[in-house]
Amino acid sequence: MISNRRFARWLMITLIMAIGIGTFGALYIHSEKQKESTEARPETYLTNQRKKDIDMKELAGIIGEYDSDQWHLFISEDYNEQGPYLSLTDNASGDVGFEGRIMYLKNDIVITEINEDLYKGMPADWQPEGEGKYAILDYRPTGDGITLGYRGSEVNFAK
């Protein structure tokens, strides 16, 4: 009789431990799935504030590659899983002038978060804003291109 009681206790303890381990595992898996759902992924990159700040119809109208006398402009809907992206390259040297994620694109204004590691310069009379972190530009689609400007200083680009 004593051995049956010991066996029953051992079985009860084993069952309780198994339930505890299973519960812990389920909670851990649930928290990992929840963490994954809140991390940025390319297919859901434009969420919350950025989704409100970027007019996708306007962006679709200006996506592409453009050239001026001195500059090459590249605007992409999704570049290297960073979302909408703008790059301005010096045609003569081939060096990147500036590039970065588009943070705002509405009402003929585009704001690009400048990748400070790649910043080399901007067209004459253009300056970065916000301690060198942002390019705040006016844009205007033209028939076969786009005009970018900074405080009245404009550069015309054609496809």
Side-chain angles (χ1 to χ4, degrees), residues 59-154:
L59 178 63
I62 62 171
I63 288 174
E65 295 193 43
Y66 305 87
D67 283 302
S68 73
D69 293 336
Q70 184 181 356
W71 299 96
H72 177 78
L73 174 65
F74 171 71
I75 301 173
S76 173
E77 182 178 10
D78 187 20
Y79 180 74
N80 289 339
E81 300 178 357
Q82 297 183 45
Y85 202 81
L86 183 144
S87 172
L88 194 65
T89 306
D90 187 335
N91 279 337
S93 67
D95 288 334
V96 171
F98 73 92
E99 67 178 58
R101 297 183 312 155
I102 296 173
M103 302 306 290
Y104 183 91
L105 189 127
K106 277 186 180 179
N107 306 322
D108 300 330
I109 295 174
V110 60
I111 300 174
T112 302
E113 180 182 40
I114 296 172
N115 181 335
E116 295 177 33
D117 295 335
L118 300 175
Y119 180 81
K120 299 288 185 192
M122 294 182 148
D125 301 326
W126 291 20
Q127 295 294 319
E129 301 281 342
E131 299 176 4
K133 295 182 181 183
Y134 302 99
I136 302 174
L137 308 170
D138 301 321
Y139 74 92
R140 186 175 63 254
T142 59
D144 64 337
I146 187 170
T147 299
L148 282 181
Y150 175 78
R151 298 186 181 186
S153 175
E154 295 182 336

Side-chain angles (χ1 to χ4, degrees), residues 5-23:
R5 283 187 180 171
R6 283 187 178 165
F7 179 73
R9 282 185 180 163
W10 178 81
L11 189 60
M12 186 64 83
I13 290 171
T14 304
L15 182 63
I16 291 171
M17 287 176 59
I19 290 171
I21 291 170
T23 302

